[in-house]
């Protein structure tokens, strides 16, 4: 478990409210959805589609908040709210953070 | 996504046990023979007992793929009422029928099915159907899960357009709406809803992680009930959902009562044309009157009296509607109707006959529980009348005026006082003589002191 990646309080509450089995399914869904959102960010950036980009960032932020992935949510929020096009480095930094988040969530959900 | 369980054994409703699998009905432990259509109809009503089922829907279930007139449905409803009692199936004029007998307590381990008891003053309890519109799969699944854990039936849509299509084709009690969505976003859906009279009263709770007060304010301006910030706090979610559903159910109840007590008023188009399309026409008027109301009010509580009036009106309206009559007056203990088709006099007489049958059955139920029987008087008169909508643009109703209208009302009062069942005037008697010569010449038909013809007299 890496408390720097996932806020344990938020995750515990989620499990208490929705059930641990369901949260496991939800984490697996996120593991499938997150790379899709990342791809959408890249495609939107390449196409110069500011609104699509903002919406994908918004979605990623929202999911980060749901799971207590505080840092991922903050990074996604910055992409959502900052001027378009964003700093490409910010988008690149998102890749390892998503990987860390998914790994941490899967470990927590299977405990 | 529904998690409702279906009981496999017979379901018990008051005195009735209904086994859907074996297609059997027991009343007080005795098996009752029911026609196949009647059983299909009963099963359809029982399955949908959380709501008023439109006639079209019942016809589609019982006679799938066939073109069937309302009359056939009415015949089956009457057949069921003869077995189950007149009040087991309520008629909501202009809307349809509802099975009203509450399910008996289920044995432990079986989830109780939704049930509803419709009568004046009782709030229908029902399983609520919710729609979740959210393009984000994680959010959508989580919200659906939270709502299902609260006991609701939940459906979902992943964009605003799909959500709108489902709202227009299915019945929902509440919409939980995300703002950021492809195809049509939440604001777009709220705008469409505001412009659609059929959807305007559907409560909406917006759930969004959009930041800033402006978005929430815009949603409320567009008619949303509430705004919840994501991630949604489950306790807050439950409180807001319960509050919205309670308001919705109260509104539904008001609407149902209004439909029962003031038919015709709900349709705005009828009110808009008030007084504009009056016509002079030959018609037969029927008035039904509840006799001895003073005695009833003195021997029972106000609540019981109102319930009685509600049940009585329901039965009388049923008889009128099933024979093509149109209700012109509903005043608690009196009901007026007009028949203006070619066989108006015959239809009115058949209506009176059915009213008597229903009243007799109603009285059997009342006396078996130690209550006083009701006295029914029916008057029928024929002549030229003026019919149309009259009133103000805010409140109008379908009215009929003419000497025959007053004659029918007077005959009904006289019939109720005399304890005679049905009194008809000379014009109606003459009209019936063409269609039903045997009845007109029947030795049971007597002429009263006022010149009316007394038929179907019980005395």
């Amino acid at each position: 478990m890496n408390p720097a990646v996932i806020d344990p309080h938020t995750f515990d509450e989620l499990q208490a409210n929705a059930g641990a089995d369901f949260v496991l399914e939800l984490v697996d869904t996120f593991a499938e959805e997150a790379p899709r959102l990342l791809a959408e960010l890249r495609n939107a950036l390449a196409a110069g589609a500011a609104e699509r980009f903002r919406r994908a960032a918004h979605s990623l932020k929202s999911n980060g908040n749901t799971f207590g992935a505080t840092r991922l949510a903050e990074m996604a929020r910055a992409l959502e709210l900052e001027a378009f096009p964003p700093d490409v480095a910010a988008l690149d930094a998102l890749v390892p953070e998503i990987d860390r988040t998914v790994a941490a969530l899967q470990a927590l959900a299977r405990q | 996504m529904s998690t409702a369980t279906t009981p496999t054994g017979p379901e018990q409703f008051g005195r009735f046990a209904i086994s859907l699998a074996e297609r059997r009905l027991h009343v007080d432990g005795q098996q009752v023979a029911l026609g196949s259509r009647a059983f299909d109809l009963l099963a359809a009503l029982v399955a949908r007992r959380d709501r008023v089922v439109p006639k079209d829907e019942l016809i589609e279930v019982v006679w799938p793929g066939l073109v069937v007139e309302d009359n056939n449905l009415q015949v089956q409803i009457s057949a069921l009422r003869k077995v189950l009692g007149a009040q087991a199936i309520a008629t909501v004029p202009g809307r349809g029928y509802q099975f009203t007998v509450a399910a008996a307590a289920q044995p432990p381990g079986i989830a109780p099915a939704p049930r509803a008891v419709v009568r004046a003053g009782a709030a229908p309890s029902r399983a609520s159907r919710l729609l979740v519109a959210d393009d984000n799969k994680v959010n959508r699944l989580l919200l659906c899960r939270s709502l299902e854990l609260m006991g609701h039936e939940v459906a979902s849509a992943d964009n605003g357009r799909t959500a709108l299509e489902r709202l227009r084709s299915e019945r929902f009690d509440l919409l939980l709406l995300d703002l950021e969505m492809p195809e049509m976003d939440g604001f777009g859906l709220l705008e469409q809803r505001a412009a659609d009279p059929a959807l305007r009263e559907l409560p909406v709770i917006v759930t969004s992680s959009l930041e800033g007060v402006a978005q929430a304010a815009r949603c409320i301006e567009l008619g949303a009930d509430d705004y919840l910030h994501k991630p949604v706090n489950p306790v807050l979610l439950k409180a807001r959902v319960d509050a919205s559903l309670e308001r919705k159910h109260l509104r539904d109840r008001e609407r149902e009562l209004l439909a029962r007590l003031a038919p015709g008023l709900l349709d705005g188009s009828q009110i808009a044309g008030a007084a504009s399309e009056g016509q002079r026409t030959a018609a037969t008027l029927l008035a039904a009157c509840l006799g001895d109301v003073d005695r009833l009010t003195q021997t029972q509580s106000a609540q019981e009296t109102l319930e009685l009036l509600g049940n009585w009106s329901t039965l009388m309206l049923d008889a009128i509607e099933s024979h093509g009559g149109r209700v012109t007056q509903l005043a608690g203990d009196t009901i007026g109707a007009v028949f203006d088709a070619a066989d108006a006099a015959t239809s009115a007489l058949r209506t009176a006959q059915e009213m008597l049958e229903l009243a007799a059955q109603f009285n059997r139920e009342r006396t078996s529980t130690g209550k006083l029987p009701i006295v029914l008087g029916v008057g029928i008169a024929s002549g030229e009348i003026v019919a149309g909508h009259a009133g103000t643009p805010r409140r109008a109703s379908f009215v009929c005026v003419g000497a025959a209208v007053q004659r029918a009302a007077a005959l009904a009062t006289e019939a109720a006082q005399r304890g005679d069942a049905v009194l008809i005037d000379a014009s109606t008697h003459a009209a019936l003589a063409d269609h039903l010569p045997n009845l007109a010449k029947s030795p049971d038909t007597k002429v009263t002191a006022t010149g009316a013809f007394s038929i179907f007299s019980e005395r």
Side-chain angles (χ1 to χ4, degrees):
Chain A
M1 182 167 60
N2 185 348
V5 177
I6 306 296
D7 170 39
H9 178 67
T10 305
F11 191 81
D12 287 351
E13 286 233 316
L14 182 63
Q15 280 188 321
N17 289 323
D21 289 349
F22 177 79
V23 172
L24 184 58
E25 279 176 44
L26 204 62
V27 165
D28 288 344
T29 303
F30 178 67
E32 289 165 17
E33 290 293 300
R36 286 233 289 270
L37 289 171
L38 190 62
E40 172 70 2
L41 285 172
R42 289 201 191 282
N43 292 339
L45 182 59
E51 183 54 28
R52 265 175 61 197
F53 184 89
R54 198 188 55 73
R55 196 181 290 148
H58 173 86
S59 224
L60 200 54
K61 174 192 81 174
S62 181
N63 288 167
N65 283 329
T66 295
F67 289 112
T70 318
R71 202 160 59 211
L72 176 64
E74 272 168 19
M75 293 167 78
R77 176 171 186 267
L79 290 173
E80 178 192 0
L81 299 180
E82 280 169 15
F84 184 87
D87 184 358
V88 180
L91 198 52
D92 290 340
L94 213 50
V95 180
E97 189 58 33
I98 287 177
D99 290 345
R100 271 197 296 274
T101 301
V102 168
L105 283 173
Q106 285 180 330
L108 278 172
R110 285 179 167 77
Q111 264 180 10
Chain B
M1 297 216 178
S2 171
T3 54
T5 53
T6 311
T8 47
E11 277 192 273
Q12 189 78 35
F13 299 90
R15 298 160 48 219
F16 323 121
I18 301 167
S19 168
L20 294 179
E22 295 166 9
R23 296 179 64 83
R24 275 192 200 146
L25 169 70
H26 287 82
V27 179
D28 295 330
Q30 298 288 313
Q31 187 173 340
V32 176
L34 263 193
S36 165
R37 299 277 192 212
F39 192 90
D40 290 345
L41 179 60
L42 176 62
L45 284 167
V46 167
R48 295 160 179 77
R49 64 190 178 277
D50 60 321
R51 61 185 169 94
V52 177
V53 192
K55 289 181 180 177
D56 291 351
E57 184 178 341
L58 287 171
I59 288 173
E60 186 50 41
V61 173
V62 180
W63 292 270
L66 297 178
V67 178
V68 172
E69 288 179 21
D70 279 5
N71 235 0
N72 298 37
L73 179 63
Q74 178 58 39
V75 167
Q76 300 296 342
I77 290 277
S78 296
L80 283 179
R81 284 207 174 110
K82 282 183 181 129
V83 175
L84 302 172
Q87 295 169 71
I89 300 168
T91 306
V92 180
R95 293 195 49 210
Y97 297 101
Q98 183 166 22
F99 186 76
T100 64
V101 186
Q106 299 280 347
I110 297 177
R115 67 198 179 92
V117 181
V118 169
R119 50 158 72 147
S125 69
R126 55 215 273 170
S128 296
R129 270 201 97 210
L130 279 51
L131 181 66
V132 169
D134 198 322
D135 64 320
N136 184 302
K137 195 172 175 188
V138 169
N139 287 341
R140 195 168 64 237
L141 291 176
L142 181 58
L143 196 49
C144 287
R145 168 78 174 179
S146 303
L147 296 166
E148 280 172 359
L149 287 174
M150 291 176 203
H152 301 300
E153 188 186 331
V154 187
S156 65
D158 65 1
N159 69 62
R161 191 163 307 285
T162 313
L164 192 62
E165 280 163 13
R166 291 200 70 164
L167 290 175
R168 287 189 167 141
S169 60
E170 298 167 51
R171 183 192 67 85
F172 288 100
D173 295 305
L174 177 65
L175 168 67
L176 286 113
L177 179 66
D178 179 31
L179 289 177
E180 295 266 309
M181 286 187 290
E183 300 273 332
M184 178 191 288
D185 69 7
F187 293 119
L189 197 153
L190 283 173
E191 279 163 10
Q192 293 278 329
R193 165 185 168 274
D196 185 342
L199 292 183
R200 214 175 287 153
E201 290 192 16
L202 174 81
V204 180
I205 296 176
V206 173
T207 63
S208 171
S209 37
L210 278 182
E211 294 169 41
V213 182
Q215 313 284 8
R218 195 172 155 212
C219 290
I220 304 296
E221 275 169 21
L222 282 169
D225 270 28
D226 231 319
Y227 188 97
L228 284 173
H229 204 267
K230 272 193 234 170
V232 177
N233 175 302
V235 179
L236 215 48
L237 176 68
K238 182 170 185 343
R240 302 279 172 88
V241 165
D242 286 352
S244 281
L245 286 174
E246 180 155 352
R247 281 198 294 274
K248 162 85 163 41
H249 291 164
L250 272 175
R251 277 202 299 270
D252 287 353
R253 220 179 96 206
E254 277 173 9
R255 180 175 295 272
E256 234 153 66
L257 271 176
L258 199 56
R260 280 176 64 176
L261 301 179
L265 286 187
L266 287 179
D267 183 352
S269 62
Q270 289 191 10
I271 295 176
S276 59
E277 288 175 38
Q279 53 174 330
R280 187 180 290 275
T281 179
T284 296
L285 283 302
L286 178 147
C289 168
L290 196 57
D292 243 350
V293 175
D294 283 348
R295 191 176 46 107
L296 288 169
T297 54
Q298 282 159 16
T299 53
Q300 59 188 20
S301 71
Q303 175 70 27
E304 280 175 322
T305 302
L306 284 181
E307 263 181 38
L308 164 66
L309 292 178
N311 290 331
W312 178 76
S313 303
T314 302
L315 296 177
M316 298 300 106
L317 293 180
D318 241 18
I320 292 165
E321 286 202 334
S322 66
H323 294 282
R326 190 160 179 192
V327 176
T328 57
Q329 186 204 8
L330 248 182
D333 60 349
T334 49
I335 291 175
V338 60
F339 297 79
D340 57 3
D343 55 351
T346 317
S347 299
L349 191 71
R350 298 264 180 257
T351 303
Q353 261 175 316
E354 189 169 332
M355 284 177 165
L356 291 185
E357 283 173 25
L358 289 170
Q361 194 174 10
F362 187 57
N363 275 340
R364 279 197 293 280
E365 289 169 27
R366 282 182 65 82
T367 49
S368 72
T369 53
K371 291 177 181 158
L372 283 175
I374 57 159
V375 178
L376 172 67
V378 182
I380 303 176
S382 300
E384 194 171 76
I385 56 155
V386 171
H389 287 91
T392 70
R394 278 175 63 83
R395 188 182 162 96
S397 63
F398 181 72
V399 294
C400 288
V401 288
V405 180
Q406 297 184 344
R407 210 156 55 235
L411 288 173
T413 309
E414 189 185 335
Q417 280 166 0
R418 290 163 51 103
D420 276 327
V422 182
L423 290 176
I424 67 177
D425 74 345
S427 312
T428 308
H429 188 258
L432 285 174
D434 293 339
H435 292 92
L436 305 166
N438 292 341
L439 176 93
K441 289 184 208 135
S442 159
D444 289 343
T445 304
K446 301 184 196 80
V447 181
T448 71
T450 55
F453 293 81
S454 162
I455 52 174
F456 306 134
S457 175
E458 303 269 340
R459 299 182 185 181

